[in-house]
Amino acid sequence: MSSPTPPDLVIHPRDRRFGRETPQRRWWHGGDPYLTALYNAMSVTFPKGEAFFVESVRTFRDGVPPRLADETAAFTRQEVVHSREHLAFNKRVSEAGYDVSGLHRAVDARLAYVRTKRPIASLAATMALEHFTAILAHELLSDPRHLAGADPEAAAMWRWHACEEIEHKGVAHDVWLHATRDWPRARRWFVKSFVMLFVTRNFLKDRTLGALDLLAQDGLRGPRAWGRLFHAAFIKPGMMRRILGGWAAYFLPGFHPWNHDNRDLIATAEFELRA
Ligand SMILES: [Fe+2]
Ligand SMILES: [Fe+2]
């Protein structure tokens, strides 16, 4: 199965550590509790979520072409280091005084549900969530306003993660193309589209409830807090609004993450991370 993944793409894990030496503010994102809550709610899900992605992709690695096998191994190594860094980041979130146990329970419940389904459903969910992380990463690296005012070590960690999410954005998709190579196109499109809608609803619902849980611990509750959270997510800086086009592209027939080659963003961010 041919794929639009660039033939010269190299997925190389960057084993970096962040924030071990410097204290992290409770509202590390520019002193803003709403942006801090949005990013913290996402980070809490990453260690378990990324372990699930790895498990889902590896279930289907047998028989894939050698190049995709190598990419799958590199994807695994990248996600393992992401989990390590988000565990360290989440520890700092807890040390800042947040109780994240409710957020963990929500992730556990979602993962337990999807594991009752066939493994191909887990792969489809992983492919959808990897697209989600890739478009979030694209937007994060495209516009410096998203991390403006954030603690430098935390900002560097999110940028580093974004680079690698872009780099390996096609892996789950290519494994899916291989695993479903005998399926009719219509069935493939229907399953991946249905799963994306399901995953999107859960992502929005769970991350919103997670952020509201953290904000309540800051004493920020009720319609005013909901409005300010919505404003941060959809208006300014408005990450969720800005990824809408990339999200919708997933439903186009012939969609592939590498139909859009955005490796220039990795090169620029890497240069800045080294500086
Ligand atoms: Fe990751
Ligand atoms: Fe990923």
Side-chain angles (χ1 to χ4, degrees), residues 46 50 53 75 78-83 86 130 133 160-162 164-165 168:
F46 277 138
E50 297 192 312
F53 298 168
F75 155 81
Q78 286 189 333
E79 296 292 30
V80 166
V81 182
H82 299 170
S83 289
H86 280 276
E130 280 284 286
T133 52
W160 157 84
H161 192 167
E164 298 201 340
E165 287 304 322
H168 73 227

Side-chain angles (χ1 to χ4, degrees), residues 3-16:
S3 149
T5 298
D8 59 340
L9 174 71
V10 180
I11 301 174
H12 70 287
R14 302 155 183 80
D15 189 353
R16 297 267 318 255

Side-chain angles (χ1 to χ4, degrees), residues 111-219:
L111 293 179
Y113 174 76
V114 75
R115 286 190 175 114
T116 65
K117 304 293 171 192
R118 293 167 57 208
I120 197 71
S122 292
L123 182 62
T126 296
M127 176 173 64
L129 284 162
E130 280 284 286
H131 181 57
F132 236 110
T133 52
I135 55 180
L136 289 167
H138 176 91
E139 182 55 36
L140 192 84
L141 296 184
S142 298
D143 192 336
R145 283 175 294 185
H146 290 297
L147 286 169
D151 285 358
E153 275 291 293
M157 193 273 283
W158 285 96
R159 289 202 182 95
W160 157 84
H161 192 167
C163 285
E164 298 201 340
E165 287 304 322
I166 290 175
E167 205 166 72
H168 73 227
K169 66 178 180 173
V171 174
H173 204 106
D174 286 341
V175 171
W176 157 267
L177 288 177
H178 184 265
T180 61
R181 61 196 178 282
D182 298 328
W183 289 22
R185 281 174 69 98
R187 180 180 178 206
R188 201 189 248 165
W189 182 86
F190 178 79
V191 171
K192 71 175 258 204
S193 301
F194 175 81
V195 171
M196 178 51 119
L197 291 173
F198 184 72
V199 157
T200 301
R201 188 204 66 161
N202 295 344
F203 181 91
L204 291 176
K205 183 178 169 200
D206 292 351
R207 295 304 82 73
T208 302
L209 292 175
L212 289 174
D213 180 337
L214 298 175
L215 287 167
Q217 297 178 44
D218 290 318

